[in-house]
Amino acid sequence: QKEVEQNSGPLSVPEGAIASLNCTYSDRGSQSFFWYRQYSGKSPELIMSIYSNGDKEDGRFTAQLNKASQYVSLLIRDSQPSDSATYLCAVNTGFQKLVFGTGTRLLVSP
Amino acid sequence: SQTIHQWPATLVQPVGSPLSLECTVEGTSNPNLYWYRQAAGRGLQLLFYSVGIGQISSEVPQNLSASRPQDRQFILSSKKLLLSDSGFYLCAWAPWGQGNTDTQYFGPGTRLTVL
């Protein structure tokens, strides 16, 4: 059973702080990794994808991948109340399918 | 640009009634298509996926079925709904031929309540 694990939270951070979201996966052969944001009652929207070890930055978001340790993280700098949402980690383990974690709920307080 | 549509947006159905949810994608050809269910407070469960017309793979044995009658149309059906079928149903598409970099994009979802 291929698994993706996330802490359910909530992770509470003050406005302007850095939020750090983590994800571990079980399939060592995984090749691509994704972070989605889901607001309450809405569908997931893609934030970032990462395929190689290291960091990938896009605006206030940085994805970090460490295949040896089998973890992916998402850093959100200068967190805003509008960042309050559930963040889903997804891993492509081949066969054109993604396995999703259950998500981490982030709360950013003004 | 590509757009994905789902309807209806919300649905309330009695136990034992049939179900038909529709998903269509615009602006792309031969996409991979996916149906997920998200129960309240839980993660995304992959139900079906399709890599082409008439090609359906089932992930979870249950009373649901899927069909792909046209390239960009994906339908989720049930003959008799159960209480446990309640949830948020999401359709997603991925560009064809991406190999291991299958980025999926989600539609707006259908919220189904079975009473």
Side-chain angles (χ1 to χ4, degrees):
Chain A
Q1 182 77 10
K2 300 172 182 176
E3 296 182 344
V4 177
E5 300 287 341
Q6 296 181 257
N7 188 315
S8 61
L11 172 66
S12 295
V13 300
E15 184 175 358
I18 296 175
S20 178
L21 305 163
N22 299 312
C23 169
T24 59
Y25 59 95
S26 62
D27 187 353
R28 190 170 287 278
S30 300
Q31 297 293 317
S32 49
F33 308 86
F34 306 87
W35 283 100
Y36 289 82
R37 177 175 63 197
Q38 185 175 25
Y39 291 112
S40 180
K42 302 296 185 181
S43 63
E45 57 179 321
L46 180 69
I47 298 177
M48 292 191 69
S49 58
I50 187 167
Y51 310 112
S52 304
N53 279 327
D55 296 358
K56 179 182 178 182
E57 185 175 319
D58 183 0
R60 295 187 296 112
F61 299 96
T62 299
Q64 299 176 318
L65 174 61
N66 184 322
K67 290 186 178 180
S69 300
Q70 294 176 246
Y71 84 79
V72 192
S73 62
L74 180 69
L75 301 179
I76 306 175
R77 291 182 300 281
D78 188 25
S79 295
Q80 300 297 309
S82 58
D83 294 325
S84 297
T86 297
Y87 289 80
L88 304 174
C89 174
V91 176
N92 185 317
T93 57
F95 307 106
Q96 302 171 320
K97 297 186 290 184
L98 296 181
V99 177
F100 284 82
T102 54
T104 297
R105 187 178 171 207
L106 173 66
L107 297 176
V108 182
S109 54
Chain B
S1 64
Q2 297 83 16
T3 310
I4 179 169
H5 303 279
Q6 286 187 248
W7 61 89
T10 60
L11 192 59
V12 180
Q13 292 285 92
V15 170
S17 64
L19 174 74
S20 181
L21 302 181
E22 188 166 345
C23 169
T24 59
V25 182
E26 297 177 352
T28 187
S29 296
N30 197 26
N32 292 340
L33 296 172
Y34 306 83
W35 277 114
Y36 291 87
R37 177 171 60 201
Q38 188 175 39
R42 303 186 66 179
L44 290 169
Q45 179 186 33
L46 179 62
L47 302 175
F48 301 95
Y49 72 99
S50 172
V51 299
I53 296 175
Q55 300 179 61
I56 309 294
S57 296
S58 174
E59 291 294 300
V60 183
Q62 53 200 344
N63 67 320
L64 299 173
S65 62
S67 62
R68 184 170 177 174
Q70 300 180 44
D71 181 42
R72 290 168 288 179
Q73 184 184 32
F74 205 21
I75 297 172
L76 182 69
S77 303
S78 175
K79 292 182 179 179
K80 289 186 177 182
L81 284 169
L82 307 173
L83 285 174
S84 58
D85 291 325
S86 293
F88 193 34
Y89 286 81
L90 292 157
C91 181
W93 74 277
W96 175 82
Q98 273 195 314
N100 284 332
T101 57
D102 279 341
T103 305
Q104 294 183 18
Y105 303 92
F106 286 87
T110 295
R111 191 162 303 280
L112 172 66
T113 303
V114 182
L115 301 175

